[in-house]
Each structure stands twice: as structure tokens, then as C-alpha cells.
Amino acid sequence: MSLDWIYYAISWILLAWHSAWDAIGVADGAVIGTNWAWILAIVFLVVTVRVILFPIFVKQIKSQRAMQALQPQVKALQEKHKGDRETLQKEMMELYRKEKANPLMGCLPMFLQIPVFLGLFHVLRRLDPANGGKTLYGWTVDQFESASQAKLFTAPIAGKFGSTAEELARLGANGTTVKVIAGILVLVMMGTTYLTSRQMILKTGWAEDPQQRMIQRLMLYGIPLSLLVSGAIFPIGVIIYWVTNNLFTLGQQQWVLRKFPPPANVSTTKPGTSPRGPVQPAKSGGLLGRGKPAAQVPAKPAAPKVAAPKPGAKPVNPKKGRPAKRKG
């Protein structure tokens, strides 16, 4: 199946935003070693895609709420079919079908963004001055040459951590500078990817379903770690897209999760673990779940103990009403 339609769509959005920034006076030349018109074009490519996908993102949150509402029934099925994994999976699939809940809905927005990512990756990888097909996907020769010379702090947006010496020479780039800029962006990409997954889990809780829990762990740890290796082949422009997308996601999730708060009984601790200490306030709010703890009810002061009198000492407060001794 040809992906040309994706490459044309990505190119059209990218070039439209570049023309818009150029029209309002953002200089196409380098300022602080950066061609801001092209950097902003990539940033607003993210904004365009996320606005289009926003209704699906809201559906994702609602689907996760539906899955949480089914957790008591899922736990009951796990207890009923303990040790019979095949029957358990069949029963849970039947439960999801009956209640119209889709376990895969939580990953749908990410899957829909994969073609956009691949399209941008392909388009930016072509920004080589030696490339003969400069007018492919609706580009003009001037636009192609301008983009191939675009830089972020003197590192070309078409360069990558693993660029060869020949590629760097054609782009007119310094290898050390490209590695430093690309390396920093890869670390930021890993960190923001981790934070987006962590934010969602802290707000929605760990799933009781083993399959869902495995997906949560994969998104929390697996994907960020994989970027340490795959990031070396991403052009700097693609990493800018990824980091911007993560930052947009963090803000969007915070807004949507406030509008559609999780149930009060959602647990933010991993299944099989217990909170630290006798009383652990639930995490709420904040990117890292560091909200204000619930107010503690002050304990009632214990009644003061009255010390017994020392042997041989006169009582301080003799009992009243005792008859006086008669004198012999």
C-alpha cells in the first residue's frame, strides 16, 4: 500500500505553516543559530494533528472510565476462574462486548499518530541537498533548499545522532554539535514520554486486568527505554515533533482528566503492593502526583496520669466529709 497520500498531507501542512510564519514576519534566516519559521512549522504541525484527534482523545478517556467501572466484575471473574486463563479471557471478552467497553481504545490516539510520525520522518529524511527529487510531494525547489538548510542551534533539522560524515558534509553541519543537540533532545523525548504515561496512570489507576496492566507497564517503561536506541536514527526535526507532542499531551491530559475525573476508589498503587505506612493519602493532582495530603484529624489528648503519693507523705487533698476523731 502506497503511503504517498500521507507524505503529501504532511508536506502540505508543514509548508502551509511555514508560509504563514513567513507571512507574519518570522525571519527565514537563522537567529541564535535557529531557523524559527521551520521550527514553528513543525510545532504547529503537532497542534494541527492534536486538534483533529481531540474528539478521539476524549473518547479514550471515557473508554478508560468504562473499563474502571467494570473492575469489580473483572476481579470476580479472576477469582472464579483462577488457574483457567483461557476461560478467564473468554469471559472477560464477553463482558467487554456486553458492556460495550473496548480495552484497546486507550491506545487508539497513539496508533493514529503513527502514520503522521512516519510521514514526517520520511519527508525530513529526504532533506538532502544531493536529492534530485526536490519537487516531490508538492515542494518547490526554493522550499526544499530552505528546509535542507534549516537548523536548531546550528544543528540541521535533517541531521541525526547517527548521521554519517558524508551526510554531515552535505548538510554543512558539525558532527559534535549535531550529536550534542540530538542527544539532549533524545533524553528530553524519553523523559516527556515517561511523564505522559505516568500522568495517565496516576490519574486513572493501575488496571486489575493482567492484559491491561501489561500494556500500562509497556507504555510506562518499555517505550521510553526503546527511544534511547531508536532516537539515534530520528532526524532532529522528528524529535522536535515528538517532544512537542508529549508536552501537548501533558497539558491536554491534565485538562481532560479534570473534566472527567476518575472514580474516587481508583488505586494509584501497583497491584500486589501496599502503601507505605499505616495511612497513605491518595495521590491527587500534579504531574508527579505530589498533591497536598488529606488533613489529619488531631488525636484526642490522653487523660493526665495522677502520680501516687510517696509512702509516709500526708495526702494533699484529704477526703471531705470524714468525721473528726474524738479526743480521748
Side-chain angles (χ1 to χ4, degrees), residues 27 56 60 82-84 86 97 109 113 122 178 191 200 263 274 279 302 327:
I56 298 174
Q60 174 197 22
K82 208 168 188 178
D84 189 353
E86 185 178 350
R97 186 194 64 78
Q113 289 184 75
H122 178 77
V178 170
M200 181 62 73
S274 57
V279 178
K327 294 183 179 179

Side-chain angles (χ1 to χ4, degrees), residues 98-234:
K98 181 180 176 182
E99 299 295 334
K100 297 180 180 179
N102 187 356
L104 299 178
M105 186 66 193
C107 301
L108 185 59
M110 183 182 70
F111 288 145
L112 290 177
Q113 289 184 75
I114 291 176
V116 179
F117 173 80
L118 293 176
L120 183 64
F121 179 86
H122 178 77
V123 168
L124 294 184
R125 190 178 58 175
R126 294 184 64 258
L127 295 178
D128 188 330
N131 192 339
K134 297 181 179 181
T135 58
L136 198 59
Y137 310 134
W139 291 66
T140 66
V141 174
D142 289 342
Q143 288 171 333
F144 186 95
E145 291 179 350
S146 174
S148 65
Q149 296 170 7
K151 293 177 174 60
L152 174 67
F153 303 122
T154 73
I157 62 174
K160 51 186 180 293
F161 190 89
S163 290
T164 64
E166 291 78 13
E167 290 172 340
L168 292 170
R170 289 196 298 269
L171 293 170
N174 178 278
T176 303
T177 302
V178 170
K179 281 182 169 54
V180 169
I181 298 297
I184 292 172
L185 286 174
V186 167
L187 293 177
V188 174
M189 177 173 63
M190 292 174 62
T192 52
T193 300
Y194 171 80
L195 289 176
T196 54
S197 298
R198 178 176 170 82
Q199 181 193 51
M200 181 62 73
I201 292 172
L202 286 176
K203 290 288 186 179
T204 60
W206 286 89
E208 296 290 341
D209 177 14
Q211 183 181 3
Q212 288 291 304
R213 193 161 65 246
M214 182 181 68
I215 293 174
Q216 285 179 320
R217 284 175 175 160
L218 174 64
M219 296 189 68
L220 184 61
Y221 302 114
I223 294 178
L225 287 175
S226 70
L227 295 175
L228 186 61
V229 178
S230 59
I233 66 171
F234 293 163

Side-chain angles (χ1 to χ4, degrees), residues 41 56-57 88 109 112 119 123 127 150 169 184 215 228 241 248 266 273 286 293 299 317 319-320 323-324:
I56 298 174
F57 184 81
L88 174 61
L112 290 177
V123 168
L127 295 178
I184 292 172
I215 293 174
L228 186 61
Y241 172 89
F248 197 99
V266 169
T273 62
N317 294 316
K319 292 182 180 180
K320 295 180 180 181

Side-chain angles (χ1 to χ4, degrees), residues 76-85 87-89 91:
L77 288 175
Q78 289 172 342
E79 291 295 326
K80 181 179 178 182
H81 301 291
K82 208 168 188 178
D84 189 353
R85 188 174 183 82
T87 304
L88 174 61
Q89 290 297 328
E91 291 287 337

Side-chain angles (χ1 to χ4, degrees), residues 234-305:
F234 293 163
I236 287 175
V238 171
I239 304 177
I240 294 171
Y241 172 89
W242 193 305
V243 171
T244 306
N245 186 63
N246 285 345
L247 295 175
F248 197 99
T249 299
L250 286 169
Q252 192 178 64
Q253 282 183 172
Q254 190 71 15
W255 181 84
V256 173
L257 290 169
R258 283 183 180 180
K259 189 173 179 63
F260 303 99
N265 60 348
V266 169
S267 172
T268 57
T269 57
K270 290 185 182 180
T273 62
S274 57
R276 290 176 292 179
V279 178
Q280 178 76 9
K283 294 178 180 180
S284 62
L287 184 58
L288 298 175
R290 295 177 182 174
K292 294 182 180 179
Q296 301 292 329
V297 179
K300 291 182 179 180
K305 293 182 180 180

Side-chain angles (χ1 to χ4, degrees), residues 58-69:
V58 174
K59 287 184 179 180
Q60 174 197 22
I61 299 296
K62 290 182 177 179
S63 176
Q64 288 174 337
R65 295 294 179 268
M67 293 293 295
Q68 288 171 351

